[in-house]
Amino acid sequence: MAKYKILTNFSRNKTSVLLEKASSIVKQMTGNPNFENPIPSLAEIEAAINILNEANIAAQDGNKTAKIIRDEKHANLASMLYRLALYTEMQASDNLAILSSSGFSLRKRPEPIGILEKPKGFNVQPTHKGSIKLKLSAIRGAKSYLYLYKKETDENWTTLVGTSTNISINNLESGVAYLFKVAGVGSAKEQVFSNPIKSFIL
């Protein structure tokens, strides 16, 4: 999986920003030995820039038809830059120096967070006979949560897995003390559990 990717949200750029960005890319890729045969060609990109620039000037007076034409030319240039970005990524083969020389803006794939932090805000609340609700604050990087519980006198824990920061546990024995704890599950194998909380069941 590639570590570096080109930002390709060109269609969301304002026309003036898109024109400036496209011109910068053409300038930096012209004569760049890393990109000898761009697809689309730089000449095609330059032509699209000029057409959009003319359409943008024509739309300044607020004419509805002119604005529609400008938007069409905007979408066309954005599409061409997207195709050029795909070519650039293929040529660069995840080499940061080569990618940076293209003029495109880059985003780095987020690194795994590692071992997640100890849960915060964990609390338990008996709701009705035989049931209890567990809640905690969301943990950054957690894909799911491990909820463990057992009778205070038991050896083994029962484990529930959920993606929500709250869960209800039913069919517990009324009048008995239970222990509860939770941990976030991320990319690391190790989990950090909360301190166990003791609660009597209604």
Side-chain angles (χ1 to χ4, degrees):
M1 182 178 290
K3 189 175 183 180
Y4 300 98
K5 297 288 289 182
I6 291 173
L7 287 170
T8 55
N9 57 340
F10 308 114
S11 61
R12 298 179 184 176
N13 293 153
K14 291 182 178 179
T15 297
S16 58
V17 174
L18 183 65
L19 286 168
E20 183 179 354
K21 188 64 181 176
S23 297
S24 176
I25 291 168
V26 169
K27 182 178 180 180
Q28 290 194 236
M29 292 188 75
T30 299
N32 190 327
N34 297 308
F35 311 107
E36 295 183 346
N37 298 294
I39 304 172
S41 70
L42 297 183
E44 290 174 310
I45 298 290
E46 280 190 294
I49 290 172
N50 292 333
I51 290 172
L52 176 57
N53 187 51
E54 292 177 2
N56 189 43
I57 293 172
Q60 296 303 312
D61 62 0
N63 180 275
K64 186 175 180 180
T65 300
K67 286 184 176 181
I68 291 174
I69 294 173
R70 178 201 60 194
D71 292 345
E72 289 177 349
K73 304 308 178 183
H74 182 116
N76 180 59
L77 179 56
S79 176
M80 293 177 73
L81 288 179
Y82 178 77
R83 289 162 52 207
L84 183 62
L86 295 180
Y87 161 83
T88 302
E89 288 180 342
M90 185 168 23
Q91 290 295 112
S93 298
D94 210 31
N95 184 302
L96 178 58
I98 294 177
L99 281 170
S100 298
S101 74
S102 70
F104 282 103
S105 299
L106 306 178
R107 65 176 173 84
K108 186 177 178 180
R109 286 191 177 274
E111 298 292 340
I113 293 176
I115 298 175
L116 302 184
E117 64 180 356
K118 186 175 181 178
K120 297 177 182 178
F122 181 50
N123 65 81
V124 302
Q125 181 178 0
T127 52
H128 52 272
K129 186 175 181 180
S131 298
I132 196 165
K133 187 172 185 178
L134 283 58
K135 295 179 64 177
L136 74 151
S137 300
I139 300 175
R140 178 175 173 267
K143 299 175 182 178
S144 59
Y145 297 91
L146 294 178
Y147 295 94
L148 276 63
Y149 69 96
K150 70 171 185 174
K151 291 180 182 179
E152 186 178 26
T153 56
D154 286 351
E155 290 284 335
N156 299 321
W157 294 85
T158 296
T159 301
L160 298 175
V161 180
T163 56
S164 175
T165 55
N166 64 81
I167 190 173
S168 293
I169 303 175
N170 304 310
N171 301 316
L172 300 178
E173 189 173 338
S174 295
V176 174
Y178 279 76
L179 295 177
F180 303 88
K181 62 181 180 178
V182 66
V185 179
S187 57
K189 293 182 179 180
E190 182 180 345
Q191 284 89 43
V192 178
F193 280 89
S194 64
N195 294 329
I197 294 179
K198 176 181 175 180
S199 179
F200 283 91
I201 304 302
L202 297 176

